[in-house]
Amino acid sequence: MHAPADAHIRFTLHPDHHPAVIATTSGQTSDAARSDLHDLGFRSTGPATMVLARIDREEPHYTAQAAHLLQQYGYTTEIDPALQEEIDTEWTWGNYPYPWCTRDEIRAVSTEAQRIHDDIAAGRLIIHLHAHDGHTTVAVGSYKEGVRRHVHLHGENHLRQETDITFDTEAEAVAEFHRLYSVAVRPGPAPLTNLEQAVRQLLAGKPPATTANHAPAPSAEPPVAEPGEHEAVLAALFDQERQWERYRPFDETTIASHESLTVRVEFDHEARHRTDVAWTIAEYDGPVGERLWHATVTAGTPIPLIRAMLQYLDAPPLTTAGHPDDVFHDAAWHPARHPARTTWAAPDRTIVFESTPHAVADRWLLYGGEDLDRAAWTIHLSAGVPHPLLAQLAETAANLFPSPTRLSPRPLPAPTRGLPAALPAQPARRR
């Protein structure tokens, strides 16, 4: 047991980098408290403040563990209500590549990625070369301390891991890296990601960068649909658009089939959380043809975007619409180009449109929130989506944030055809 410690520790969310945590210490034994906080991952940013900033965005989870341990040491701890809400909120990565992992397994992967990040930042792991393999960043490096190992790394931020193969010498590791990645190899470490840059600045006691490459946190919450609004849109689809037929094969699912038999929409009435998939849409090459494209829309997606998709499906515009990039450029959205994708962010940075030209399943992505990993809602669209539909979605999203550079919004096309589901259009019994 530890003797009672005369120190008070207050934990709050960082105002400039959500969800990093600031610990403020006071009392006669605050020096001892700061030492214990350091052992728990917090770093000093001032005489009475320390910060916990991680690349896996799990600061609230580890703060709760730290507060519990510090109470056992005898310290008085206080958690701000906003931080407590974050601690109590269960969330998951919106685009996590290992969906079979449990929450504990996800944290184990992130912990290993955090260790690698810390080793690189502290100079314990020296990166010799890096490359982009078409999907993510890869690198080769050597550990300086302990058992000297030479390793290949794969991934970025909370997904960075060592590959299964280690090398006896630096020369062997580098030669194999050149063989694998050829002309894509570049000297030294890769440029820091936006998240790495922000974390390191916070740990150094500086606010996150606000340059074009390192955007500030959003100044407002992203627009989110209210409970019941999607149900109302579905009801209006059948009340107002007579070319749709309703099927209810299961109590939790309604299917809307267009009279053309080429468009199908599936609505999940059990989608409760704003990131649950509520709509699944698909279009086919004829009544029994191959699927041309599909989309999924989560329950928190703003109603104007849902209506824009339904309007397009009901009556696609006859004229060829411009590319969505042109729409966002005219609306003064912020562009960012990466080796594998292009993104456009709304002026207040609460909505992002992303294009991944080499992907098939998720070629286009529109989401609300600070970043995709903790998005408030998402619209995923596969390859094959007509550009007029993308432009219509872009226009609708841009109109949510009118810019002073735009004198008037472009009119949306008249209401359109219908929604599809990811399953082939099969006949269903009508209830």
Side-chain angles (χ1 to χ4, degrees):
M1 295 291 295
H2 295 267
D6 182 17
H8 180 274
I9 307 169
R10 186 171 190 270
F11 297 100
T12 60
L13 286 171
H14 196 289
D16 299 322
H17 183 76
H18 184 84
V21 173
I22 294 176
T24 305
T25 58
S26 59
Q28 296 180 359
T29 58
S30 59
D31 287 344
R34 292 170 65 81
S35 177
D36 288 327
L37 283 167
H38 186 277
D39 293 339
L40 294 169
F42 286 78
R43 295 296 177 262
S44 177
T45 56
T49 58
M50 303 184 75
V51 67
L52 178 66
R54 298 172 58 91
I55 59 170
D56 59 4
R57 316 305 297 276
E58 290 279 10
E59 291 94 337
H61 171 75
Y62 290 103
T63 296
Q65 290 188 336
H68 178 72
L69 186 61
L70 291 166
Q71 287 175 354
Q72 293 181 328
Y73 289 173
Y75 298 108
T76 301
T77 63
E78 176 189 356
I79 297 178
D80 183 77
L83 174 56
Q84 185 62 55
E85 183 178 354
E86 283 293 319
I87 292 172
D88 295 337
T89 300
E90 283 295 326
W91 68 277
T92 187
W93 295 98
N95 59 340
Y96 200 75
Y98 317 124
W100 57 86
C101 288
T102 65
R103 199 72 186 93
D104 289 340
E105 290 170 338
I106 289 174
R107 287 198 173 108
V109 172
S110 297
T111 298
E112 175 65 8
Q114 184 72 43
R115 185 212 35 99
I116 294 172
H117 169 269
D118 294 344
D119 285 344
I120 294 174
R124 294 185 293 268
L125 174 57
I126 305 301
I127 303 300
H128 309 303
L129 305 167
H130 75 276
H132 197 280
D133 69 353
H135 302 282
T136 189
T137 300
V138 292
V140 55
S142 301
Y143 285 92
K144 294 176 61 178
E145 302 174 358
V147 178
R148 187 168 178 81
R149 293 186 296 126
H150 310 276
V151 297
H152 286 185
L153 304 175
H154 182 275
E156 298 176 348
N157 296 333
H158 64 290
L159 297 176
R160 183 188 284 140
Q161 297 290 296
E162 294 181 11
T163 63
D164 294 334
I165 301 175
T166 59
F167 301 87
D168 294 331
T169 67
E170 177 184 325
E172 290 177 349
V174 169
E176 178 65 7
F177 193 79
H178 274 289
R179 186 190 71 80
L180 291 172
Y181 304 108
S182 184
V183 296
V185 174
R186 299 291 184 270
L192 296 178
T193 65
N194 291 0
L195 183 56
E196 287 177 322
Q197 182 81 1
V199 165
R200 295 194 186 186
Q201 288 176 331
L202 286 174
L203 295 178
K206 302 176 182 178
T210 57
T211 64
N213 292 329
H214 306 101
S219 58
E221 291 295 320
V224 177
E226 295 297 326
E229 287 189 320
H230 283 216
E231 295 272 1
V233 170
L234 180 68
L237 178 68
F238 297 111
D239 292 341
Q240 301 172 9
E241 308 296 342
R242 299 302 179 186
Q243 56 270 54
W244 290 94
E245 287 195 76
R246 180 200 301 260
Y247 300 93
R248 193 75 181 263
F250 307 103
D251 289 340
E252 69 275 11
T253 304
T254 291
I255 293 175
S257 179
H258 194 261
E259 62 182 5
S260 66
L261 300 182
T262 61
V263 178
R264 177 179 164 106
V265 176
E266 183 177 306
F267 182 80
D268 184 358
H269 297 272
E270 297 298 318
R272 293 289 184 263
H273 191 272
R274 62 187 185 182
T275 56
D276 292 342
V277 173
W279 304 82
T280 306
I281 302 172
E283 187 170 13
Y284 302 89
D285 184 17
V288 293
E290 295 292 327
R291 189 176 67 188
L292 299 175
W293 61 271
H294 68 279
T296 57
V297 182
T298 62
T301 302
I303 294 304
L305 295 171
I306 301 291
R307 288 180 176 149
M309 296 186 74
L310 290 172
Q311 287 175 359
Y312 176 87
L313 292 166
D314 233 0
L318 298 177
T319 58
T320 302
H323 194 278
D325 284 6
D326 299 331
V327 176
F328 292 130
H329 182 272
D330 293 343
W333 281 39
H334 306 279
R337 302 191 184 277
H338 308 273
R341 65 187 185 278
T342 299
T343 61
W344 290 86
D348 70 350
R349 303 186 187 278
T350 60
I351 293 184
V352 175
F353 181 88
E354 181 173 291
S355 166
T356 310
H358 303 297
V360 175
D362 295 330
R363 175 71 59 87
W364 311 89
L365 178 62
L366 189 65
Y367 64 90
E370 182 178 352
D371 55 49
L372 179 58
D373 297 320
R374 304 192 75 169
W377 51 266
T378 58
I379 299 177
H380 291 264
L381 303 111
S382 71
V385 172
H387 271 207
L389 172 55
L390 292 171
Q392 188 166 334
L393 281 173
E395 183 67 37
T396 304
N399 284 340
L400 295 175
F401 300 94
S403 166
T405 62
R406 302 179 73 196
L407 299 179
S408 60
R410 303 173 188 170
L412 290 175
T416 54
R417 279 190 315 188
L419 293 219
L423 302 174
Q426 299 175 350
R429 294 181 180 179
R430 184 181 305 179
R431 285 197 168 189

